[in-house]
């Protein structure tokens, strides 16, 4: 090849073809509408059409509907990051969080409804806080310590890192109500504490700062409204948006409460409450 040929400039590349514009789907969202505060309101399904956008979540879709089409649409949200649990609802018949559900994972037509088992505020908004508060008061879900007076100057006792991690795993519950909405036992026993209540008992049972033992826990969870009412359908485990080990905790607490119940525990004799301690009893 001659020197002139080497200096010959290459032919310019052909311009790239313009990228095809992405086609977005047109969604049809059917929402159960009902306002219990309005005597003229009746439950009915109302269908909205909305063009899908990139990375659209169900939370974004609902906000677009309320801002652009129907300002009367009621639903709840706070954090938009799967932390508060406020936006839980039935998505195509299954409990889930709107802020963590991508519309691309749903069909073009789908339905939304409020969570069952909770007091309805309106449309997709339910009062999970009232239910959770009642459950927490029944289960006494707080650290029970012998020292009634708190000494803020006292140095806190270090906790084993693995134990702290185990407690943290159970403490990630956001009380969204998805486990209650998917629970078959709640449908037949409205007083059932559900997986969320049993999980809380498991969490405080692990906590070394809590002075209670299995006999104490048996008083609040050892009946059919507690751990023995569970029918082991385990929809709670399947629908938990935080992937908590609910089935493991339910089975474990049930076994421990069965051991306690067969240990000649007598509620009439409060002095005999330490038959199966969860930790060494200090006198």
């Amino acid at each position: 090849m001659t020197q002139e040929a080497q200096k010959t400039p290459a032919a310019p590349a052909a311009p790239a073809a313009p990228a095809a514009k992405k086609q977005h789907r047109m969604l049809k969202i059917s929402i159960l509408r009902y306002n219990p505060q309005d005597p003229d309101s009746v439950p009915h399904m109302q269908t909205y059409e909305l063009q899908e956008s990139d990375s659209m979540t169900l939370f974004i879709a609902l906000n677009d509907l309320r801002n652009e089409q129907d300002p009367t649409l009621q639903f709840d949200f706070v954090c938009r990051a799967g932390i508060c649990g406020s936006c839980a609802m039935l998505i195509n018949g299954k409990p889930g969080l709107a802020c963590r559900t991508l519309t691309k994972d749903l069909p073009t037509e789908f339905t939304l409804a409020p969570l069952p088992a909770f007091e309805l505020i309106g449309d997709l908004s339910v009062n999970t806080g009232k239910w959770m508060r009642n459950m927490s008061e029944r289960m006494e879900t707080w650290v029970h310590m012998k020292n009634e007076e708190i000494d803020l100057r006292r140095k806190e006792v270090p906790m084993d890192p693995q134990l702290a991690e185990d407690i943290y795993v159970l403490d990630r519950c956001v009380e969204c109500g998805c486990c209650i909405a998917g629970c078959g036992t709640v449908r037949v026993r409205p007083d059932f504490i559900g997986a969320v209540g049993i999980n809380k008992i498991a969490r405080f049972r692990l906590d070394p700062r809590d002075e209670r033992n299995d006999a104490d826990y048996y008083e609040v969870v050892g009946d059919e409204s507690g751990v023995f009412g569970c029918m082991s359908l385990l929809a709670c485990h399947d629908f938990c948006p935080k992937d908590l080990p609910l089935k493991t905790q339910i089975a474990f607490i049930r076994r421990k409460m069965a051991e306690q119940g067969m240990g000649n525990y007598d509620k009439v004799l409060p002095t005999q409450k330490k038959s199966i301690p969860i930790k060494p009893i200090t006198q």
Side-chain angles (χ1 to χ4, degrees), residues 10-22:
K21 188 176 180 180
K22 184 177 179 180

Side-chain angles (χ1 to χ4, degrees), residues 120-272:
L120 178 65
I121 297 176
D123 298 338
L124 302 175
S125 176
V126 296
N127 194 347
T128 55
K130 179 180 179 180
W131 193 97
M132 295 296 173
R133 180 182 178 89
N134 291 336
M135 179 275 300
S136 294
E137 291 177 350
R138 283 177 54 196
M139 297 296 101
E140 301 182 9
T141 55
W142 55 83
V143 175
H144 288 56
M145 303 177 67
K146 287 185 177 180
N147 297 327
E148 296 183 0
E149 295 186 4
I150 304 299
D151 185 2
L152 298 179
R153 296 170 298 180
R154 186 180 62 182
K155 186 177 180 180
E156 187 174 359
V157 178
M159 185 181 296
D160 178 75
Q162 184 57 53
L163 178 58
E165 177 66 21
D166 294 340
I167 293 175
Y168 169 73
V169 168
L170 302 183
D171 224 8
R172 291 172 56 247
C173 173
V174 296
E175 298 186 354
C176 61
C178 287
C179 62
I180 300 300
C183 178
T185 304
V186 172
R187 305 299 178 90
V188 296
R189 290 193 64 96
D191 60 341
F192 182 55
I193 63 171
V196 59
I198 299 171
N199 179 75
K200 284 182 176 293
I201 292 296
R203 176 256 182 270
F204 285 101
R205 190 179 183 278
L206 279 178
D207 199 320
R209 299 165 297 182
D210 197 307
E211 298 293 339
R212 291 175 292 178
N213 59 35
D214 280 356
D216 300 307
Y217 294 126
Y218 189 88
E219 289 187 346
V220 295
V221 77
D223 55 18
E224 290 189 355
S225 67
V227 70
F228 297 121
C230 175
M231 296 188 292
S232 300
L233 300 177
L234 300 181
C236 55
H237 182 90
D238 295 338
F239 295 132
C240 177
K242 307 301 287 186
D243 295 323
L244 299 180
L246 297 179
K247 63 180 181 181
T248 303
Q249 298 307 316
I250 291 173
F252 179 77
I253 295 297
R254 176 186 285 167
R255 176 164 61 86
K256 289 301 180 182
M257 292 301 100
E259 291 175 359
Q260 177 62 40
M262 293 184 294
N264 297 322
Y265 168 63
D266 189 352
K267 293 182 179 180
V268 182
L269 301 175
T271 58
Q272 306 296 321

Side-chain angles (χ1 to χ4, degrees), residues 4-61:
E4 287 102 1
Q6 290 180 347
K7 294 181 179 179
T8 302
K21 188 176 180 180
K22 184 177 179 180
Q23 297 294 323
H24 292 106
R25 300 184 303 170
M26 182 62 69
L27 303 176
K28 288 187 177 181
I29 308 175
S30 297
I31 301 176
L32 180 59
R33 304 294 308 274
Y34 176 55
N35 183 2
Q37 307 301 322
D38 183 0
D40 296 328
S41 178
V42 294
H44 65 282
M45 300 299 295
Q46 185 169 347
T47 301
Y48 301 88
E49 291 190 357
L50 179 69
Q51 188 173 30
E52 190 177 31
S53 60
D54 293 335
S55 302
M56 173 180 274
T57 64
L58 195 51
F59 162 79
I60 295 175

